[in-house]
């Protein structure tokens, strides 16, 4: 258990973990030469659905107990420590330095120790409350570590996670070291201190003691709205109301204990801290134009201490490589509030990497158990409506319920059909994770990987889902690298033509004539698994055909202009149009994975065009056969409609598996 119990300086050696030395460029080159060495399929030792600690995080009582001990007993100069509860990082993990708020407490990241400690080599800065080190000296302290690490591993990025005052510290270090590869993660940075009302408020209460002023600041810092919101959300998500109420009251009572701590803080602490943060904001703002690092702003719209939302807008205009992630219902102490998953945000924004350039294959980290739960929450309605039934085919041709017929080890190439809008994708990927613990790496059009500059915290959107599940743009080099790494690759040869099909074209294949994917599979002795999925016609209904749109005034011209702008696939003479549709009374999605096709005995497809075409047509015919089989068999499923499924689950529980047809 990580603790900062007194005296801290006597525990420094115990808190440090020995740092493993890795040479990022040599490691990367070696991986590429060996097609990622097959070890890449284990993601540098991290398994899919790993425990990131967010579901078992300690409550605020732990933080305030540690804070009380520090206030009373802590002494000595500013220093670094590695949280014990962060555990050991994965191989070749980049360094992350946590820079705390103006309180200087290095334990302010305790809710994120395990999650960040799995994918980063995490070190936390701690500045005792009795310390009076000037801001410039704190900058030098961080800078010394950054420069030393850069000299040791010049091709690896260094992450600075700055909270409030720590955000100013991170910006200052970045401005003085533009040649070093830094990524800044700034949580409600205090660069807006001069624009905040906190100075006027504290001057108004200057007649009172420092303890009273700090108590007022703490009250503004505490976000009761978020506590109530999280308690209500936990009840909606299935927790017992008493459990949700207990967590709410525990956190509020923990906050009230803060008043006892204030009596132990030295007299001049508030004045010194206000002077320190004012200097930090001025120093950072003056040098913003020198910051060349990637910047991720994590911002609270409900911040009552600083105008963080307006400051995020200002900083994004001034910093050339800046992304913003907004939280609507959170206060200033974002890192101490539930529902904030910093590690997930970093992964969703494509900022996690091991070398100078982000690589979607080699830098990928699989989803954690918490991230799967978050996706489940976001897609609960879809899962409830479609209740996906999965089938697979054993080597002897027997069709069974579940995914037992799909190989356990890669490389595997899953090849199948798209339904309308690719609506089958999320359920497919989630079931592979639940049932087999396997991440399916989807191949998608480059338009589905936009460079988002701003995002909001209302759950993961489809683009976040693609990033968390390891999706990659449609480029043959990515398929090559994924198969070489022993991954499970999901390929839809029909692409957008199937996902945006016309009315009356449900469950039809629109595959190109090229047989390149079978050659790639054979090159790595990959197993091809054809699959089919049906059920869109039981959920969605198209309002019009493409001919209806073309015949409308200016319809043809608008569709042609839109298609030319997107340029999705040159080999298909088909305008792109996102069809109007409406939801029907939900039916059910049915998936079947066909008999695995090993390519080890098909090596002639690499040189023989006819052999490659024969294998390609065999895979295509298998997908068509599976679709026909599912369309026929689903008529035997008495739980195909929503109401029978609801009655079945009402009697046996919402998480029970609903029966389907017998294969």
């Amino acid at each position: 258990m990580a603790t900062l119990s007194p005296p801290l300086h006597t525990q420094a050696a115990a808190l440090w973990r020995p740092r493993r030395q890795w040479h990022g460029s040599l490691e990367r080159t070696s991986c590429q030469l060996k097609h990622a060495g097959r070890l890449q399929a284990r993601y540098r030792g991290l398994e899919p659905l790993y425990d990131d600690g967010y579901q078992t995080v300690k409550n605020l009582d732990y933080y305030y107990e540690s804070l009380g001990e520090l206030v009373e007993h802590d002494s000595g100069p500013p220093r670094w420590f590695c949280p014990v509860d962060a555990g050991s990082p994965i191989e070749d993990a980049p360094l992350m330095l946590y820079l705390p708020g103006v309180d200087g407490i290095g334990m302010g990241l305790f809710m994120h120790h395990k999650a960040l400690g799995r994918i980063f080599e995490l070190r936390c800065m701690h500045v005792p409350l009795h310390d009076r080190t000037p801001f410039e000296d704190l900058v030098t302290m961080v800078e010394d570590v950054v420069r030393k690490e850069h000299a040791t591993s010049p091709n690896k990025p260094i992450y600075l996670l700055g909270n409030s005052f720590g955000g100013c510290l991170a910006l200052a270090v970045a401005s003085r070291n533009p040649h070093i590869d830094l990524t800044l993660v700034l949580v409600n940075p205090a660069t807006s201190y001069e624009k905040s009302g906190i100075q006027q408020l504290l001057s108004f209460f200057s007649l009172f003691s420092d303890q009273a002023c700090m108590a007022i600041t703490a009250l503004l810092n505490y976000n009761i709205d978020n506590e109530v919101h999280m308690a209500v959300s936990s009840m909606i998500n299935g927790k017992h109301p008493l459990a949700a109420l207990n967590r709410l009251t525990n956190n509020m009572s923990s906050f009230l204990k803060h008043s006892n701590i204030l009596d132990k803080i030295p007299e001049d602490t508030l004045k010194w801290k206000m002077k320190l943060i004012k200097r930090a904001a001025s120093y950072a703002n003056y040098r913003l134009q020198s910051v060349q690092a990637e910047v991720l702003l994590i911002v609270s719209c409900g911040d009552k201490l600083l105008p963080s939302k307006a400051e995020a807008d200002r900083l994004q205009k001034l910093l050339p490589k800046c992304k913003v992630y907004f939280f609507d219902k959170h206060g200033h102490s974002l890192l101490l509030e539930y529902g904030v998953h910093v590690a997930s945000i970093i992964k969703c924004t494509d900022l996690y990497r091991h070398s100078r350039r982000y690589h979607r294959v080699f830098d990928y980290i699989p989803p954690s158990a918490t991230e799967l739960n978050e996706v489940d929450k976001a897609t609960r309605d879809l899962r409830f409506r479609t209740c996906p039934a999965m089938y697979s085919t054993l080597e002897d041709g027997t069709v069974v319920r579940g995914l037992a017929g799909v190989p356990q080890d890669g490389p595997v190439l899953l090849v199948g059909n798209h339904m309308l809008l690719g609506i089958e994708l999320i359920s497919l990927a989630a079931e592979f994770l639940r049932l087999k613990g396997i991440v399916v790496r989807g191949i998608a059009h480059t338009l589905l990987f936009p460079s988002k500059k701003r995002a909001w915290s209302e759950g993961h959107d489809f683009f976040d889902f693609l990033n968390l599940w390891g999706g990659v743009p449609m480029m043959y080099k990515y398929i090559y690298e994924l198969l070489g790494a022993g991954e499970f690759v999901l390929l839809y040869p029909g692409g957008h033509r199937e996902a945006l099909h016309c009315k009356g074209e449900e469950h039809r294949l629109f595959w190109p004539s090229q047989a390149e994917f079978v050659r790639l599979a054979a090159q790595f002795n990959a197993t091809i698994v054809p699959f089919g999925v049906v059920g869109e016609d039981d959920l969605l209904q198209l309002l019009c055909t493409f001919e209806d749109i073309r015949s409308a005034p200016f319809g043809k011209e608008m569709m042609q202009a839109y298609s030319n702008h997107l340029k999705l696939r040159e080999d298909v003479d088909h305008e792109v149009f996102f069809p109007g549709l409406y939801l029907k009374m939900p039916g059910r999605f049915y998936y079947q994975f066909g008999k695995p096709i090993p390519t080890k005995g098909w090596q002639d497809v690499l040189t023989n065009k006819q052999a490659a075409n024969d294998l390609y047509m065999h895979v295509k015919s298998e997908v068509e056969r599976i679709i026909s089989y599912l369309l026929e068999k689903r008529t035997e499923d008495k739980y195909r409609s929503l109401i029978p499924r609801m009655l079945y689950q009402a009697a046996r529980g919402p998480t029970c598996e609903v029966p389907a047809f017998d294969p």
Side-chain angles (χ1 to χ4, degrees):
M1 180 178 69
T3 179
L4 291 178
S5 56
L8 181 63
H9 60 277
T10 63
Q11 299 188 23
L15 287 170
W16 275 100
R17 290 193 305 268
R19 182 169 187 264
R20 293 177 284 183
Q21 300 296 325
W22 301 91
H23 300 284
S25 60
L26 294 177
E27 290 273 327
R28 174 62 55 83
T29 303
S30 174
C31 282
Q32 288 176 332
L33 289 176
K34 298 176 182 177
H35 306 304
R38 302 298 173 110
L39 293 176
Q40 184 65 32
R42 295 279 74 93
Y43 312 109
R44 293 181 170 85
L46 202 60
E47 295 291 334
L49 302 184
Y50 66 93
D51 178 15
D52 59 10
Y54 281 130
Q55 300 183 74
T56 57
V57 70
K58 305 178 184 71
N59 58 30
L60 291 178
D61 196 40
Y62 168 81
Y63 171 73
Y64 287 124
E65 286 178 3
S66 301
L67 183 61
E69 293 177 350
L70 286 170
V71 169
E72 189 169 1
H73 302 284
D74 192 22
S75 61
R79 50 201 175 271
W80 299 98
F81 71 92
C82 295
V84 175
D85 56 350
S88 298
I90 61 174
E91 298 174 9
D92 202 23
L95 174 67
M96 172 176 276
L97 302 178
Y98 170 62
L99 311 178
V102 74
D103 57 8
I105 306 301
M107 286 295 291
L109 194 66
F110 82 98
M111 286 186 169
H112 308 268
H113 281 170
K114 190 167 185 178
L116 293 173
R118 296 299 301 273
I119 61 177
F120 292 101
E121 183 190 330
L122 183 61
R123 304 183 199 173
C124 299
M125 186 185 201
H126 177 69
V127 183
L129 284 168
H130 300 76
D131 182 77
R132 298 296 180 263
T133 301
F135 177 74
E136 288 79 358
D137 290 352
L138 294 177
V139 173
T140 301
M141 176 182 171
V142 179
E143 193 174 56
D144 288 345
V145 176
V146 166
R147 290 178 175 177
K148 180 179 178 182
E149 294 296 325
H150 176 69
T152 303
S153 303
N155 293 317
K156 290 181 64 175
I158 299 172
Y159 290 74
L160 303 181
L161 172 53
N163 181 25
S164 189
F165 166 81
C168 298
L169 196 54
L171 287 167
V173 172
S175 68
R176 290 166 47 145
N177 298 273
H179 63 287
I180 296 179
D181 185 9
L182 295 173
T183 297
L184 312 185
V185 182
L186 311 180
V187 182
N188 292 327
T191 47
S192 62
Y193 174 73
E194 291 290 348
K195 301 175 186 176
S196 71
I198 192 67
Q199 293 184 88
Q200 292 78 6
L201 182 65
L202 293 179
S203 63
F204 177 78
F205 285 97
S206 58
L207 298 176
F208 301 95
S209 64
D210 278 5
Q211 285 77 10
C213 291
M214 281 187 281
I216 294 167
T217 305
L219 283 171
L220 290 174
N221 200 15
Y222 186 71
N223 189 1
I224 183 63
D225 294 341
N226 180 59
E227 293 292 348
V228 174
H229 173 72
M230 293 303 295
V232 172
S233 297
S234 63
M235 285 189 287
I236 294 174
N237 293 329
K239 281 195 174 181
H240 194 279
L242 289 179
L245 180 63
N246 181 59
R247 195 182 83 167
L248 173 64
T249 54
N250 283 344
N251 288 341
M252 293 180 66
S253 63
S254 297
F255 168 72
L256 294 176
K257 295 178 183 177
H258 195 60
S259 58
N260 299 327
I261 299 172
L262 296 177
D263 296 333
K264 305 173 185 177
I265 295 177
E267 282 290 329
D268 64 338
T269 298
L270 180 62
K271 292 179 181 178
W272 167 253
K273 295 295 185 183
M274 293 300 101
K275 178 181 177 182
L276 189 65
I277 197 170
K278 184 176 181 179
R279 174 58 181 157
S282 174
Y283 190 101
N285 281 316
Y286 184 73
R287 292 166 175 79
L288 284 177
Q289 71 278 4
S290 300
V291 176
Q292 300 299 317
E294 288 184 309
V295 178
L296 171 62
L297 298 174
I298 303 179
V299 175
S300 302
C301 297
D303 191 344
K304 297 183 180 67
L305 286 179
L306 298 173
S308 293
K309 185 177 184 298
E311 182 66 2
D313 297 334
R314 183 183 78 94
L315 290 176
Q316 190 170 37
K317 294 176 182 177
L318 297 174
L319 299 172
K321 304 173 186 176
C322 183
K323 299 179 180 180
V324 187
Y325 201 95
F326 292 102
F327 280 87
D328 263 339
K329 299 170 181 169
H330 293 261
H332 185 70
S333 294
L334 198 57
L335 297 178
L336 293 176
E337 297 186 15
Y338 292 96
V340 180
H341 303 149
V342 176
S344 295
I345 296 171
I346 293 173
K347 290 197 283 185
C348 287
T349 49
D350 296 339
L351 290 178
Y352 183 81
R353 53 193 171 90
H354 296 82
S355 63
R356 285 192 173 275
R357 289 189 176 184
Y358 171 70
H359 195 291
R360 286 193 174 272
V361 174
F362 301 123
D363 290 324
Y364 176 66
I365 294 295
S368 66
T370 300
E371 288 161 349
L372 177 62
N373 289 339
E374 289 296 313
V375 172
D376 281 345
K377 291 177 187 177
T379 60
R380 182 184 291 110
D381 183 61
L382 175 65
R383 183 174 174 78
F384 171 74
R385 287 173 176 269
T386 61
C387 190
M390 298 274 176
Y391 295 86
S392 60
T393 309
L394 303 178
E395 291 187 3
D396 62 2
T398 304
V399 178
V400 296
R401 181 80 184 267
L403 299 177
V406 178
Q408 186 65 34
D409 298 318
V412 170
L413 185 61
L414 304 171
V415 184
N417 67 301
H418 256 319
M419 291 201 297
L420 187 64
L421 303 178
I423 198 171
E424 80 290 337
L425 178 60
I426 294 178
S427 296
L428 187 153
E431 290 304 304
F432 264 81
L433 265 176
R434 288 192 193 92
L435 301 178
K436 297 183 76 70
I438 289 173
V439 178
V440 174
R441 307 293 299 272
I443 307 297
H445 196 275
T446 53
L447 286 174
L448 297 179
F449 299 91
S451 179
K452 292 196 301 181
K453 297 297 183 182
R454 299 164 80 87
W456 297 80
S457 62
E458 290 87 357
H460 294 301
D461 60 21
F462 182 74
F463 304 110
D464 292 339
F465 167 80
L466 279 181
N467 286 335
L468 288 174
W469 258 254
V472 298
M474 178 56 211
M475 297 180 187
Y476 282 117
K477 71 169 187 175
Y478 284 139
I479 303 177
Y480 180 91
E481 290 165 347
L482 288 169
L483 292 176
E487 298 272 22
F488 279 63
V489 181
L490 176 62
L491 180 65
Y492 293 99
H496 85 278
R497 180 61 182 89
E498 288 176 3
L500 299 175
H501 62 69
C502 302
K503 188 176 182 179
E505 294 180 339
E506 297 85 357
H507 306 130
R508 283 180 56 189
L509 299 187
F510 295 92
W511 288 19
S513 57
Q514 295 90 343
E516 290 305 315
F517 76 79
V518 299
R519 293 190 180 95
L520 281 170
Q523 188 170 352
F524 294 99
N525 291 326
T527 300
I528 299 176
V529 179
F531 74 90
V533 54
V534 302
E536 63 166 274
D537 53 336
D538 277 350
L539 181 68
L540 306 171
Q541 178 64 52
L542 287 170
L543 293 176
C544 52
T545 66
F546 282 82
E547 289 302 327
D548 296 333
I549 300 297
R550 287 192 192 98
S551 60
F554 305 106
K556 184 176 181 180
E557 291 79 4
M558 292 175 60
M559 290 177 64
Q560 188 63 52
Y562 190 60
S563 300
N564 291 340
H565 173 68
L566 292 180
K567 295 180 181 178
L568 290 180
R569 229 172 77 187
E570 296 180 357
D571 63 319
V572 176
D573 183 19
H574 175 73
E575 287 95 346
V576 177
F577 179 73
F578 291 94
L581 50 85
Y582 64 89
L583 292 175
K584 300 167 64 176
M585 176 64 75
R588 195 171 191 180
F589 286 176
Y590 300 88
Y591 300 74
Q592 185 192 337
F593 296 86
K595 185 177 178 180
I597 305 172
T599 60
K600 196 168 185 179
W602 292 74
Q603 293 305 300
D604 55 338
V605 303
L606 296 174
T607 55
N608 188 316
K609 185 176 181 180
Q610 185 59 46
N613 189 63
D614 289 345
L615 179 56
Y616 178 83
M617 295 307 296
H618 173 62
V619 174
K620 183 178 180 181
S621 63
E622 275 295 291
V623 175
E624 291 174 329
R625 182 193 63 78
I626 291 170
I627 291 173
S628 299
Y629 172 82
L630 292 175
L631 289 174
E632 179 184 349
K633 292 293 289 185
R634 70 175 179 175
T635 59
E636 302 174 10
D637 182 11
K638 61 181 181 180
Y639 297 104
R640 178 180 173 184
S641 299
L642 177 63
I643 294 178
R645 294 200 302 269
M646 291 176 62
L647 294 174
Y648 185 90
Q649 291 181 319
R652 295 165 179 83
T655 60
C656 69
E657 182 180 77
V658 179
F661 63 78
D662 292 327

